[in-house]
Amino acid sequence: MALLGNPFVANVPKQMSNEELAQALRVDMAGELEAIIGYEAHAMATTDERAKKILYHIADEERQHVGELQQLLYILCPKEAEHTEKGKQAIQQQQAQNFNAPMQ
């Protein structure tokens, strides 16, 4: 949700620690994901192919932003990358077993 009335709303009154910056990046990623949902909802709600094309393009740009923010988060918090990789491997293992194995 845009807060258009106050241009200083996102200013942080101090220098953030790496932990605080990591949390801010997670919030930023959530905002990008929310934007993707909004753009795609608007694209699905119109029959205008020009608008659909542009809205899906913008949603894809937001996906790139998610990737950029995620990579920065991984640089700042290597444990975050480790946990993400473990999660990916768990799902790949499930997929290899047609999702029939119990989750661990």
Side-chain angles (χ1 to χ4, degrees), residues 49-96:
E49 291 303 318
R50 300 164 301 179
K52 281 181 181 287
K53 179 180 180 177
I54 292 168
L55 289 166
Y56 282 126
H57 172 77
I58 294 169
D60 286 342
E61 287 180 347
E62 302 303 330
R63 285 183 178 87
Q64 182 173 336
H65 296 164
V66 171
E68 292 166 343
L69 291 165
Q70 189 172 45
Q71 188 60 37
L72 178 55
L73 180 60
Y74 291 169
I75 291 166
L76 295 172
C77 298
K79 289 253 182 228
E80 190 97 14
E82 290 174 25
H83 290 297
T84 299
E85 186 57 34
K86 285 180 185 177
K88 287 169 61 175
Q89 289 174 4
I91 297 302
Q92 289 169 347
Q93 185 178 36
Q94 282 291 311
Q95 185 179 21

Side-chain angles (χ1 to χ4, degrees), residues 8-9 14-16 25-27 30-31 35-37 41-42 50 53-54 61 65 76-77 81 90 92 96 102:
F8 304 105
V9 71
K14 66 179 188 82
Q15 292 294 308
M16 290 187 283
L25 292 173
R26 290 183 193 102
V27 171
I36 292 166
I37 292 166
H42 299 156
R50 300 164 301 179
K53 179 180 180 177
I54 292 168
E61 287 180 347
H65 296 164
L76 295 172
C77 298
Q92 289 169 347

